[in-house]
Amino acid sequence: MFYHIEGTVAELAPNLAVLDCGGLGFALNVTTNTLSRLKSGERAKLFVSESIGETNFDLFGFCDKSEKRCFEMLIGVSGIGPKAALSILSYNSPESLALAVLNDDTKALTVAPGIGKKIAQRVILELKDKIGKELGEQSFSLPAAAAPSAPAGENRALSDALAGLAVLGYSSQELSPVLKRMDLTGLDAQGIIKQVLKEFVR
């Protein structure tokens, strides 16, 4: 099982990156977001998800763990294969995908080629169900911004952000220590999610 692959970028093509690792070329399917962060001839590290079948052994590479998490969440949705998941993530960052699910925003998903309204609705329905189960089982130790004295808008933003981070597969054990040391004042839900994800890649 591959966790990550690090090497020199030998070739780039639409939705494809080839990393040269000691003379071996690994072909990885990638999102346009990951592709945009790679340059031929430079070294790169991609986090890897595998798809293994009777007639295929495909590798999918991602510049950061949150994008990989999103990909694996999406392919867990019935009817969503790796190709559709890559398409969605090529048009949605992890934080925008999370908010699209929370806000029932099918339009954010249907901008991706090959993603119709029915598929978008299924993604939202199944991932929302996952949020409900995870948040029901978790308790968060929240930062000062979540105190009762905090403005209602900040509490709502934090609640939405926590639900969005649950979409991305983050548990309370992972989030609580990060949230405690962050100043979330004035941030909306997308801003909170973005800042938390930055903390996890440090």
Side-chain angles (χ1 to χ4, degrees):
M1 180 177 180
F2 294 102
Y3 180 72
H4 71 254
I5 296 176
E6 185 171 0
T8 302
V9 179
E11 186 177 338
L12 295 173
N15 298 117
L16 179 72
V18 178
L19 293 187
D20 186 323
C21 306
L24 291 175
F26 290 91
L28 298 106
N29 299 282
V30 297
T31 65
T32 55
N33 173 54
T34 288
L35 192 68
S36 69
R37 294 162 67 178
L38 302 175
K39 292 184 179 179
S40 293
E42 294 188 358
R43 289 191 65 79
K45 179 170 77 172
L46 297 181
F47 295 96
V48 176
S49 184
E50 303 169 349
S51 176
I52 304 172
E54 291 184 6
T55 59
N56 72 292
F57 183 3
D58 296 322
L59 300 177
F60 301 86
F62 307 93
C63 274
D64 56 59
K65 294 178 184 178
S66 58
E67 194 177 48
K68 178 189 172 185
R69 281 182 185 239
C70 282
F71 174 79
E72 292 176 343
M73 297 276 271
L74 285 168
I75 61 176
V77 173
S78 58
I80 299 292
K83 189 173 182 180
L86 280 184
S87 182
I88 290 172
L89 289 173
S90 287
Y91 286 80
N92 291 273
S93 65
E95 58 268 22
S96 65
L97 172 63
L99 292 177
V101 171
L102 293 178
N103 297 321
D104 294 318
D105 186 2
T106 57
K107 289 183 179 179
L109 304 184
T110 56
V111 295
I115 306 301
K117 188 173 181 180
K118 286 186 178 179
I119 293 177
Q121 289 173 332
R122 189 182 308 137
V123 169
I124 290 171
L125 180 65
E126 293 194 22
L127 293 188
K128 265 197 170 182
D129 185 54
K130 180 178 177 63
I131 296 171
K133 289 178 181 177
E134 292 196 2
L135 292 185
E137 296 170 355
Q138 297 175 9
S139 60
F140 289 88
S141 180
L142 301 177
S149 58
E154 289 186 4
N155 283 333
R156 175 59 187 272
L158 183 58
S159 296
D160 287 350
L162 290 177
L165 289 160
V167 172
L168 305 182
Y170 288 93
S171 68
S172 60
Q173 290 78 13
E174 292 174 289
L175 292 172
S176 290
V178 173
L179 289 168
K180 281 181 180 178
R181 64 175 182 262
M182 290 179 63
D183 180 8
L184 308 179
T185 306
L187 293 177
D188 61 9
Q190 186 164 357
I192 294 172
I193 295 172
K194 189 176 291 187
Q195 288 302 313
V196 170
L197 295 182
K198 283 182 180 178
E199 288 289 321
F200 277 111
V201 298
R202 285 182 178 179

